[in-house]
Amino acid sequence: WYKRQSLWTLSVSSQSANKKISNSEIKIGELISKHDWSITDGDTIKSGNLRIRLYGIDAPEKDQLCFQESTNHSCGRESTEHLGSLVSGQKVRCKVEDIDSYGRPVAICYTEDNEDINEKMVASGWALEYKQFSDGRYAKAEENARSAGIGIWQSTCFIKPWIWRRGDRCEE
């Protein structure tokens, strides 16, 4: 993949509804700064026609269940809600690292306080490091969340999202 040396900011305010940005307009290396994000799931944010996949992490799918002893809980919904709590009311900056096979920008996103949202999702236990894409960037955050037994790591049965998408499920 080609990486551009210089970064430029594509900034669209929520008041300029006539300025729509689509995934096809975004290039690797660009910095996207917006305030009006909505949450698709625990590793994807959206603003208008623009969808951004969070770089280096994979979160439970929206309808994915986790099990703790004999009860289940919607870890996919909980992951989605946690990402929502991190971006709600924030002007979020995303640096595009790659374009995925679906044409979506894949980015590291930051809060107004310059905190890595992707890392916060892994550190909270609501996402996993996606090792084949992350270059080990979030390994320590995942190790700490697992050791603390938080988020998905409190479950007695949890299927990693990339395996769950293939059809594997916990037995009740």
Side-chain angles (χ1 to χ4, degrees):
W1 286 99
Y2 160 77
K3 282 205 181 217
R4 289 184 12 180
Q5 292 289 333
S6 62
L7 294 178
W8 61 278
T9 301
L10 182 59
S11 187
V12 179
S13 71
S14 53
Q15 290 110 6
S16 21
N18 58 347
K19 276 189 152 182
K20 300 278 185 194
I21 303 170
S22 68
N23 288 355
S24 62
E25 297 173 66
I26 305 301
K27 306 289 184 247
I28 293 172
E30 291 185 13
L31 189 64
I32 303 162
S33 182
K34 296 177 67 62
H35 198 279
D36 59 343
W37 296 104
S38 61
I39 307 307
T40 302
D41 57 27
D43 54 30
T44 309
I45 58 177
K46 179 182 176 189
S47 180
N49 295 329
L50 177 64
R51 285 184 189 272
I52 293 183
R53 175 78 162 76
L54 300 182
Y55 169 85
I57 72 170
D58 201 7
E61 296 300 317
K62 221 175 199 176
D63 56 345
Q64 186 171 345
L65 298 176
C66 293
F67 293 85
Q68 191 166 6
E69 296 175 13
S70 61
T71 61
N72 65 40
H73 61 100
S74 179
C75 54
R77 181 183 49 76
E78 291 170 277
S79 175
T80 302
E81 288 173 0
H82 187 71
L83 180 56
S85 74
L86 295 175
V87 303
S88 179
Q90 293 266 341
K91 184 171 187 177
V92 173
R93 279 184 356 274
C94 297
K95 182 181 180 291
V96 179
E97 298 290 325
D98 203 354
I99 305 295
D100 73 8
S101 59
Y102 299 104
R104 295 177 300 187
V106 181
I108 300 173
C109 296
Y110 301 90
T111 65
E112 293 170 336
D113 297 330
N114 209 33
E115 295 177 312
D116 181 336
I117 293 169
N118 310 27
E119 182 173 19
K120 289 177 83 62
M121 285 298 293
V122 175
S124 68
W126 290 118
L128 298 169
E129 178 187 34
Y130 211 168
K131 293 178 176 115
Q132 68 191 74
F133 299 108
S134 67
D135 299 322
R137 183 181 189 106
Y138 304 117
K140 188 71 174 163
E142 181 177 310
E143 182 184 315
N144 291 342
R146 182 182 310 181
S147 295
I150 57 175
I152 56 176
W153 302 111
Q154 63 190 313
S155 303
T156 52
C157 182
F158 166 70
I159 304 292
K160 293 176 179 176
W162 53 89
I163 296 171
W164 191 88
R165 286 190 292 271
R166 292 191 308 226
D168 289 7
R169 301 294 186 266
C170 292
E171 293 187 22
E172 294 182 51

